[in-house]
Amino acid sequence: MNSVIPAPIAGLPWRIMLILTAMSIFGASVLYSAAGGNFDPWAGKHLMRFFVFLAMALILSRLPMDFWKAITFPVYGAVLILLITVEVTGFVSGGSQRWINIGFMNLQPSELMKPAIILAVAWFFDRLPPSKISTMDALWPPVLLLSLPAGLVLIQPDLGTSLAIIFGAVVVAFLAGLPMRWFVGAGAAMVALIPLAYFFGLEEYQQRRVLTFLDPEADPLGAGYHVNQSAIAIGSGGFFGKGFLKGTQSHLDYLPEGHTDFVFATMAEEWGMIGGLALLFGFFLIFKWGLNVAVNSQTRYGQLVAAGMTCTIFFYAAINLMMVMGMAPVVGIPLPFMSHGGSSMLTVMICVGIIMSIERHPGTRLGQFG
Amino acid sequence: MKDPKPVSSAQQRFTFTRRNFFVGGVQAAFGLLLSGRMAYIAVAENDKYTLKAENNRVSLTLIPPRRGWFIDRYGKPIATNRADFRVDLIPDRIVDQSGTVATLRKLLNLSDDDVERINRELKQARGFQPVQVADGLDYDSYARVSVRLPELPGVSPRQGFSRFYPSGPAVGHLLGYVGVVSAEEYQESKNPLLITPGFKVGKDGLEKAFEQNLQGTAGAKRVEVTARGKIVRELATRPDTPGKPLRLTIDVDLHNYAARRLGRESGAVVVIDCLTGDILTMASMPSFDPNSFSDGIGVTEYKWLQQNRRIPLLNKALQGLYPPGSTLKPMVAIALLDLGIDPAETIFCNGGYTLGNRRFQCLGRHGTTNMADAIKVSCNTYFYTMGRRVGYDAIAPVARQLGLGQEYDLPFISQRYGTVPDSAWIKKKYSKNWSQADTLNATIGQGYVLTNPLQLALMSARIASGRMLTPAIVAAKRPVAAALPYAAEHLALVRDGMDRVVNAGGGTGVASRLPLDGITMAGKTGTAQVRGLGKGGGDAWKYRDHGLFVCFAPVNDPRYAAAVVIEHGVGGARAAAPVAKDVLTFLYDREKAMATLQTLESAWGGTPEERMARELSEYQISIGTTSQKTSDNDA
């Protein structure tokens, strides 16, 4: 193609960049409204971070597949050490602490573990000879890789992130081709274990959240407050919304966490169902892109990583939206590209950057000798 | 994926593609599920959530409607609303009850009585029902409480309106009073207006009967508030619609004058318009001050009213029943004429009448007496004789025709209608036969005959006008009443007899002739025995005879009819007729009447309000307000 645009610029993944940028600008506009029509304190930072992280993602996209393979275990090990450090610091200071202050920002190692676990599990399945896929050899290493970080995050306690880590690993294992009966069996076992987990595994505040989820109107001023106010915000928005800057639930502080976990409710109140559908369509395009990258990748590692990263972003979005709409208990999971928050955006953009890298380096088919 | 053979790389690619497609499908399914859920919340349940969002956003405070005024026949206010400041307590929000009440007591100079009432009402109140601390406050008191609000949770000072009765005790029985809605009343309707501070409903009298007309429609103050209760801005405020004023037939100046003129006596004055039946005055004294009832009356004041032997809580004009005594004689005369008795026929009065071995007393020795003379001098002997001749069963229908013993459709909750006895009545009530002695007693308005003062005034008005007037208290255009079924010359004859009572030499009421040029009053005195005949004077107050007087004026063209009853006033001529004279004088010459009243009041110790205040404080001293022990009164 004879183009006036220089090749390096023309080679950028413009389509996905545009989708991501559009969603983040939409997110920023919602945060702008949530702050009562101000860029401070959320919208401005949100956009700035997005563009910084987008640049980071484009840099990541230049890194070759071998680089990712090479750093997989060093990264996994480093994040694991950070998780232990957080745990020990928290134990010493006598409280639960999830982050380390590294000078310019507070780093949540558990967030970094989400992409790291996917890299690690994908790396393992890439190395596993296809003949062993139905054997125990295919099972215990990923379980080991998974249980350490998941356990550490769970005792922080951070159920949401812990589930996200488990979800990422399980999806990669599923795509890698572990026998279907194992998943069916594990699923059945989980259903059986839910009551036990509820009574012995959950903290009291978590139990209350589950009860509230089952009957949010039982205690509208107490535990059910978040969900009820969220439903009121979404419900009162109607099909066309109340209009930009005209939400009352968010502006009069009835909606708690309207700029973080419940940002969707803030959006839906002002933009209505139209805004909600537009947002879902945006996510649809992103996931379609991610899964297409996975299918088009010629390497097994690239396939598994791209699909796993996509599913991690999907997990964020799906759980958050279900929670906001009263279909899941309240767990602290933000909505990608919309919620205000550095760590989660960093994670999501790392995922995006790695998927871009895979798109850029589809590799060549190595056959069974890879 | 169970495969006996080793899996190849190509197969793994195939598995991946398939499972990747499956994952994409699951994601799409979630997308659809979330869209559906959102559509359900935002579209299907939109109305419900819109309402909830509005309920969050808008905080509504009801503004109690101003109560409709009572005005008199000339438009002069009888009950109005006064702008004032008030302080309430919201029981639910109080943190330290005794501390709060103690602080308020200091700030507002509350009396022991007030504190007692507040504590009692706090004990009875449901959590949501405000308890009034004080109303009718001046701005300084209001400001003193307002600045200390942060340390007084549960205290609510506000601006509002309270009911005001300019005439005070004079209209207590007529209008009743207003008060805070009781917990039971609120439970019935759950209308939030009822428990809005400052809102009161009629509790007695006309205030209660016309509650619906007077209440008006509440306004609402709408403000936008944040989740923390901070007011963001005021939204459109809907003002209250005051209740409609109610115009009464009362002439309030005359009514007040009559109430004051009753003075220290216990009694009632009723004045009726002879053209329409409108009740111009219905005074009953002593009374209570509806202003203090409407403010939430203190225990001591209520107890004082309850214990008073002159029964200030009883509306004597409607609920007081008295033997009418000789005031009935004009009515009996009409009956006699109607039954064919010749008015010229004379009876010799030797001071009494003998029936068997029983002597029925007359109050004098009147000698030869015809009908007109018998009315003038109130000769019992004449009426004993004639009554016995025709029998009381023939007189009773005329008594009823003239309004005695009848029920009237007046908007007062509690009325008593008295008795016009006859042989059927005594059979039913006491299972005995009517005796001649019963006839003699009934003929002179004693024995079983009982009437209330309104009925007496109505009887007088019907005799004066010759029409079947019905009493009315609410001003309205009404058709002219039908004529009475009695010959005009008979009525004229009786009216002439009544004229001579006041205006002819020897009449029982001559001392109460109107001090006016060209206007004369006709009347009839009555003295009703309370205990055995002839012991009317002296003795303890409660055994003295009642004094009664019925009258109308002017004689030649009757316009006003009145009845005055003075409980234990000893005699009609002595106690009741002078009151009637002054009240009727007031209608024609206010200055003259006021001058008389002022002279009297200076001897009595001031206006009714002044005397009540003094008596109440004397009572408080006598029982010792500081260490009073009061049981729970259902005030």
Side-chain angles (χ1 to χ4, degrees), chain B residues 78 94 177 183 240 280 295 379 442 476 543 577 594 614:
Chain B
I78 311 178
I94 300 175
Y177 56 95
D240 64 309
L280 300 176
D295 291 349
C379 176
Y543 297 124
M594 285 310 293
R614 199 168 50 242

Side-chain angles (χ1 to χ4, degrees), chain B residues 147-168:
Chain B
V147 294
R148 298 195 50 184
L149 274 190
E151 46 180 304
L152 295 171
V155 175
S156 147
R158 54 196 287 168
Q159 213 177 343
F161 290 92
S162 65
R163 198 60 155 166
F164 178 57
Y165 306 92
S167 315

Side-chain angles (χ1 to χ4, degrees), chain A residues 180-212:
Chain A
M180 188 61 107
R181 60 179 189 278
W182 291 3
F183 292 97
V184 174
M190 251 171 57
V191 170
L193 282 175
I194 280 173
L196 284 178
Y198 173 78
F199 287 112
F200 301 109
L202 295 183
E203 299 278 321
E204 205 215 316
Y205 80 95
Q206 291 170 326
Q207 290 182 351
R208 216 169 37 237
R209 282 179 181 179
V210 174
L211 285 182
T212 303

